[in-house]
Amino acid sequence: VSGNVIDWQKWQIRVGFNYREGLVLHQIKYQDGGELRPIIHRASIAEMCVPYAADKEPFNHKCVFDIGDLGLGVCANPLELGCDCLGHIKYFDGTINSPQGDGVVLPNVICVHEEDHGILWKHTEMRTGHAESRRSRRLVISFFTTVANYEYGIYWNFYQDGSVQSEIKLTGQVSTNYALPGEDEPDLGTTMLPDVIATHHQHIFAARLDMAVDDPNGGRDLRISEVDVRALPAGPRNPYGLAFRPVETVLATEHEAMRDCNASVSRSWKISNPSKKHPYTGKPVAYKLLPNQSQTLLALPGSSMGIKAGFAAHNLWVTPHVDGERWPGGDYPVQNLYNNGLTHWVRKNRPLAGKDPVIWHCFGATHIARPEDWPVMPVEVAGFWLKPVGFFKSNPAIDLPATKNPASKLHCCDSAANGHANGQANRHSTTNGQNGHANVHSATNGHANGHAAVNGGAPNGIGHSAAAQAASDARFCI
């Protein structure tokens, strides 16, 4: 770590923070051979809305824009070692302004750690029985924020194969109200306790992705396209009825780029650089935005929330880069009677070619509360992936060295009772594991969650000592 720049495995990432978005990532690059190739110029969660399924006053006014109204950075939690992140930790402070304009430092609000993530790749040669297997490690950059009753964990995960994952972990307390007369069986909410109702609602996030994809100038000439996988019609090209292929459609204007998820055709969106070609396929190098299937805004278009939160009506928007166009819900959504953000900008239907396109991906969760969500709801996860498509010549993680974790132990079936829950190490061979918390005598979680050593962008490789792997600080958080 040098200042706010992180080098890990082949990745380089610049970390930023502001009062509104909280964690912001800049100048994300990947070391490919002797070249540090840009992938993302800037990435953040730029807005979110939480509309409620209300049919009565005053609940029809409930639709918080947690980023535009309050600010995720302002509400960020100071993180505690051994509780919010496990393993070897690097914290970053955040800096914001007070209402008086003075600088305020928020300590330990961004956590950086490394963790095991299962198998990255594996193959057994069937003729000889020889097996090769490599564990996956990922770098996690995250922060947690408390917005009144809800907590949101914003996570950016970086993988050794060049993939990037955005995860938002929703937890906290559902918003409730007292049941009105006749609401014994509410159809717009769930009874959590006698006479206590949690109204149905949505959490819809808008990620702002200013991609670079091998363009040192920040992605000016990138091309955005939609890729559907479709069966070929019966005929000479499909005589047996088995053929299918990806169908790519370039999104040339803002209106063409107003798109939604479609699992039936395995829909994704590709960001390609026509000036750089893959050496074997001859196609432009690219990354794809791989969405998790996510419902769009359910408020009707003419409703107050349908107007103010109009950005949530589609899963994808693309606009030309304009410095002042940063907030999809508008600059001051709490004061707006209409949306002067994303839905206002795209009315011009501007062309996208050569305009440094910015991607706005809207995703989230529709929350029909369960009794099990009370009194504090278990984490629910929303997010998306960015994956290379012909960006690398081949698997960029094929050079990982073979390793064995010396901390792994074989325990006899009759030596302990329920002691090493969820793969965590147990203390000698007793105790019941406390729901998977590490008890640590010698190891934790396979590769010991996160010894976040930084190797300055050198080729992939673990290179950590057994002592470092076993050094994860195990604590109970009450």
Side-chain angles (χ1 to χ4, degrees):
V1 177
S2 177
N4 64 337
V5 176
I6 301 168
D7 286 284
W8 177 82
Q9 299 285 296
K10 297 179 180 180
W11 287 102
Q12 184 178 93
I13 306 131
R14 185 180 296 274
V15 176
F17 187 89
N18 64 55
Y19 85 96
R20 190 157 175 166
E21 297 158 295
L23 176 62
V24 181
L25 302 180
H26 304 264
Q27 298 170 339
I28 299 171
K29 303 174 183 179
Y30 193 95
Q31 184 79 37
D32 186 18
E35 185 181 1
L36 192 59
R37 302 173 68 185
I39 295 174
I40 305 172
H41 182 65
R42 187 183 190 276
S44 70
I45 305 300
E47 189 55 274
M48 64 171 293
C49 62
V50 189
Y52 282 76
D55 62 346
K56 298 180 178 67
E57 291 276 1
F59 309 115
N60 59 306
H61 299 290
K62 286 179 66 173
C63 181
V64 180
F65 290 74
D66 288 341
I67 296 175
D69 286 358
L70 298 169
L72 298 186
V74 172
C75 301
N77 295 175
L79 302 174
E80 184 177 348
L81 185 65
C83 296
D84 298 296
C85 302
L86 297 182
H88 289 245
I89 307 300
K90 165 64 180 175
Y91 287 122
F92 287 95
D93 297 338
T95 303
I96 62 173
N97 292 331
S98 72
Q100 292 74 35
D102 300 320
V104 177
V105 175
L106 305 177
N108 295 357
V109 291
I110 297 173
C111 175
V112 182
H113 77 286
E114 178 185 336
E115 64 187 21
D116 180 85
H117 193 64
I119 295 295
L120 177 59
W121 59 262
K122 179 180 174 69
H123 178 63
T124 300
E125 175 54 52
M126 68 176 189
R127 295 172 182 83
T128 65
H130 176 75
E132 290 285 344
S133 178
R134 299 295 186 271
R135 299 291 297 182
S136 173
R137 301 197 66 76
R138 65 182 183 182
L139 184 74
V140 182
I141 307 176
S142 63
F143 82 110
F144 249 94
T145 184
T146 299
V147 185
N149 54 302
Y150 261 105
E151 269 78 19
Y152 302 103
I154 313 296
Y155 288 72
W156 293 91
N157 304 321
F158 294 86
Y159 295 83
Q160 293 158 305
D161 67 350
S163 298
V164 181
Q165 180 189 26
S166 174
E167 284 187 308
I168 298 182
K169 299 183 179 182
L170 297 81
T171 181
Q173 293 186 320
V174 294
S175 178
T176 59
N177 56 269
Y178 193 70
L180 297 175
E183 280 192 299
D184 296 332
E185 295 184 9
D187 61 347
L188 299 181
T190 301
T191 300
M192 309 301 284
L193 292 171
D195 296 325
V196 176
I197 294 174
T199 304
H200 306 327
H201 57 282
Q202 295 182 282
H203 301 261
I204 303 180
F205 304 87
R208 183 184 184 274
L209 302 171
D210 188 352
M211 301 295 292
V213 190
D214 222 11
D215 182 356
N217 296 316
R220 178 169 297 279
D221 294 316
L222 298 184
R223 183 177 65 199
I224 315 299
S225 56
E226 183 171 87
V227 181
D228 292 346
V229 181
R230 296 185 180 276
L232 272 63
R237 290 289 310 280
N238 190 11
Y240 305 106
L242 304 175
F244 59 89
R245 64 183 180 90
V247 177
E248 186 170 348
T249 304
V250 174
L251 305 176
T253 67
E254 289 178 301
H255 286 183
E256 290 179 11
M258 297 162 57
R259 309 298 298 164
D260 296 319
C261 299
N262 188 346
S264 69
V265 292
S266 191
R267 178 166 293 168
S268 63
W269 295 290
K270 185 188 288 188
I271 308 101
S272 55
N273 183 348
S275 67
K276 301 287 182 70
K277 301 294 176 65
H278 190 275
Y280 306 146
T281 68
K283 296 181 179 180
V285 299
Y287 261 69
K288 68 177 178 180
L289 169 58
L290 190 61
N292 294 334
Q293 299 307 310
S294 184
Q295 194 166 23
T296 55
L297 184 69
L298 290 170
L300 298 180
S303 67
S304 60
M305 299 314 166
I307 295 170
K308 290 183 67 173
F311 66 88
H314 293 289
N315 294 121
L316 184 82
W317 309 72
V318 185
T319 61
H321 182 277
V322 176
D323 284 345
E325 295 183 358
R326 293 184 59 190
W327 313 117
D331 290 347
Y332 307 105
V334 73
Q335 298 175 3
N336 286 349
L337 296 178
Y338 62 94
N339 187 317
N340 60 0
L342 189 50
T343 56
H344 177 71
W345 306 333
V346 301
R347 291 178 184 176
K348 302 172 187 176
N349 196 23
R350 296 167 290 188
L352 301 174
K355 301 296 184 182
D356 190 8
V358 175
I359 294 171
W360 309 84
H361 177 43
C362 298
F363 63 97
T366 298
H367 193 182
I368 308 300
R370 308 168 298 147
E372 293 84 354
D373 291 331
W374 187 263
V376 178
M377 66 176 280
V379 162
E380 186 165 339
V381 179
F384 61 90
W385 286 84
L386 292 166
K387 287 181 170 284
V389 182
F391 186 85
F392 299 105
K393 185 181 295 186
S394 59
N395 180 356
I398 201 67
D399 61 352
L400 277 169
T403 60
K404 279 192 175 181
N405 177 16
S408 295
K409 305 290 183 182
L410 180 63
H411 290 276
C412 180
C413 55
D414 61 356
S415 62
N418 194 25
H420 42 286
N422 288 339
Q424 304 280 15
N426 56 343
R427 189 186 195 89
H428 292 292
S429 60
T430 59
T431 113
N432 69 358
Q434 288 286 333
N435 222 5
H437 286 292
N439 300 321
V440 183
H441 176 64
S442 60
T444 62
N445 203 15
H447 270 257
N449 262 341
H451 34 85
V454 177
N455 71 5
N460 272 325
I462 303 301
H464 303 291
S465 68
Q469 290 182 342
S472 181
D473 179 24
R475 296 171 54 191
F476 293 99
C477 305
I478 305 300

